[in-house]
Amino acid sequence: MSTSALELKDIYKSFDSGSKQVLDGLSFTVAENEFVSIIGPSGSGKTTLFQLIGGLEKPTSGEVWISGKPTTGSRGHIAYMPQQASLMPWRSVAANIELALQVAGVERKASGIAAREWLDRIGLLEYADSYPHVLSGGMQQRVSFLRALLSPQPLMLLDEPFGALDALTRQQMQRWLMEIWEQNKRSVLLVTHSIEEALLLSDRIMVLSSAPAVLLEEIEVPFARPRSPQLWKEPLFNELKQQIQDLLQ
Amino acid sequence: MGNKGRRSLHAIWPSALLVLILLAAWQLSVDSGLVPEWQLPSPITIVKEMAEVWPRLMDNASATVSLALIGFAGGALAGFALAAILHLIPIVRKAVYPLLVVTQNVPVIAIGPILTIWLGYGVLPKLILVWIVCFFPVSVAMLNGFKDTDPTLRNYMQMIGAGKWQLFMRLELPNAVTHLFSGLKIAASYAVLSAVVAEWLGADKGLGHYMILSSKGYEPARVFASVVLIVLLSLALYGLVALVEKLVIRWRPVKGEVRS
Ligand SMILES: Nc1ncnc2c1ncn2[C@@H]1O[C@H](COP(=O)(O)OP(=O)(O)OP(=O)(O)O)[C@@H](O)[C@H]1O
Ligand SMILES: [Mg+2]
């Protein structure tokens, strides 16, 4: 068996010396180059789970394994795309991408070349030397995604990456991300509140209960890739959507 | 550019007009004998006097300027270094920061005579005085700048595995640059003044020294001429810092700029 990109082993997490139970025995894996989404009610502990995987928090008990190694409480093993683009305002677009790569240990020169090459590919090369504030919200998120995609860590964590965008931009971004990901597969764990988004993008969906969070259901999304943006027209899409909706009630 | 220049002209003309009116009123009240010239020399007299003693004024001004500049640079540098050390060693910060804030409110200039007792009338006590005056605003501003980072940026950096030093170099330090300039501007506006005060305490050169000399010699026009020069120098140093700030901090969205 090949090693999983991520393996969570019976994760418990509570705050305030145990009085606030947030994660209640969570176990699942993300296989190599698999796209997995997490859906759960607000406050169910999704961001907390990411903080645990990123090594910023330690689980009360349980273990995090990344690429076959125990990484519980240690940092630097993941690429990350947060809800807010989180671009440094004093760095140009290209320099922001380079920063992420350099923190992850990529050489200065290689990071510069990669940043420009990919900005060109996604049609943002003309903004390489601009400061982030001149970009629209959607463009900023493209840069933010690119920065995570180019980082050498094998696992990408995306925490509601399109949550702050308007509905139309959000749809465009989903298709854009799907296309890039299908051509450049990486192991992805995505947190989202949108069931459609999860169904469109993922291979599997983890449905969490509200706090303390347990895994309610693990749903395989069987649609073949490359996927059509018209997926929502298929009856199975709506069946799965209904199923998840019922779970979240 | 031309458009921008016109706009800033537009912004200052009311103040410029007011200054002109005040100057005219001043001139008139002296000319009409309302205020005696020995109490308040008229603007024209002051300008004439300035022209007359210009070489001596320049000579003294150069001493004051170098005192202010060296004190300013040294104080700013020390303020920056202390802020960085305090920030990177939390336990030291905890001990020193409250004291720093308290001492910042002590009128530092009052310790001038003490410095003179300890160190005599040489250049060192004067330098130390300017240095201390410039030191506080810079260190406090920098400390706040290091601390006041955007939590989402901090979380991002930590998530991708940035260590303490990377966090400092890539996030906290650049974030503090805007704060650095607000501290530098405060220090700049005090630097010339504190140099002059230091010279009052005893010096054989400098505008402060020249003022005292002129005052003792009943030369009000010369005292005023020195004051005008001091004000101009102070504004110039402030303007210089503001200019450098404009050149360095170019990432801020320009007001009125349309996002594409
Ligand atoms: N450091 C902390 N101390 C105490 N409680 C915390 C801490 N961090 C998170 N919590 C609590 O844990 C719970 C889960 O929070 P979390 O942010 O992980 O939820 P979430 O699923 O990401 O929510 P959302 O969908 O709104 O983003 C919340 O009740 C929150 O108040
Ligand atoms: Mg969250």
Side-chain angles (χ1 to χ4, degrees), chain A residues 45-81:
Chain A
K46 304 178 292 292
T47 297
T48 304
L49 181 64
F50 271 16
Q51 302 277 322
L52 289 169
I53 299 170
L56 270 60
E57 295 270 0
K58 276 194 172 168
T60 315
S61 73
E63 285 176 19
V64 179
W65 289 57
I66 294 174
S67 304
K69 292 189 197 82
T71 62
T72 317
S74 95
R75 299 181 190 176
H77 307 284
I78 54 134
Y80 180 52
M81 177 182 182

Side-chain angles (χ1 to χ4, degrees), chain A residues 5-80:
Chain A
L6 172 72
E7 191 170 357
L8 297 177
K9 300 184 176 175
D10 209 17
I11 301 270
Y12 285 81
K13 178 67 183 175
S14 55
F15 288 110
D16 307 331
S17 55
S19 63
K20 193 168 189 178
Q21 194 70 27
V22 178
L23 300 176
D24 218 14
L26 220 49
S27 300
F28 66 85
T29 61
V30 177
E32 203 174 322
N33 294 343
E34 188 185 21
F35 200 123
V36 176
S37 292
I38 301 178
I39 268 191
S42 193
S44 58
K46 304 178 292 292
T47 297
T48 304
L49 181 64
F50 271 16
Q51 302 277 322
L52 289 169
I53 299 170
L56 270 60
E57 295 270 0
K58 276 194 172 168
T60 315
S61 73
E63 285 176 19
V64 179
W65 289 57
I66 294 174
S67 304
K69 292 189 197 82
T71 62
T72 317
S74 95
R75 299 181 190 176
H77 307 284
I78 54 134
Y80 180 52

Side-chain angles (χ1 to χ4, degrees), chain A residues 123-191:
Chain A
L124 289 180
L125 187 61
E126 58 176 312
Y127 293 102
D129 299 313
S130 309
Y131 289 111
H133 70 82
V134 305
L135 303 187
S136 69
M139 281 149 97
Q140 290 190 13
Q141 283 303 66
R142 280 171 211 237
V143 174
S144 175
F145 176 72
L146 196 54
R147 175 169 74 162
L149 184 75
L150 297 188
S151 296
Q153 295 96 336
L155 176 67
M156 282 169 78
L157 301 186
L158 319 182
D159 193 354
E160 289 185 60
F162 311 133
L165 301 176
D166 62 272
L168 201 66
T169 314
R170 187 175 183 140
Q171 255 183 10
Q172 290 168 350
M173 290 294 295
Q174 288 164 358
R175 290 174 199 173
W176 177 83
L177 189 145
M178 184 170 74
E179 211 168 288
I180 292 196
W181 182 82
E182 283 178 347
Q183 288 159 18
N184 306 273
K185 288 215 173 159
R186 296 277 301 278
S187 315
V188 174
L189 189 58
L190 166 84
V191 163

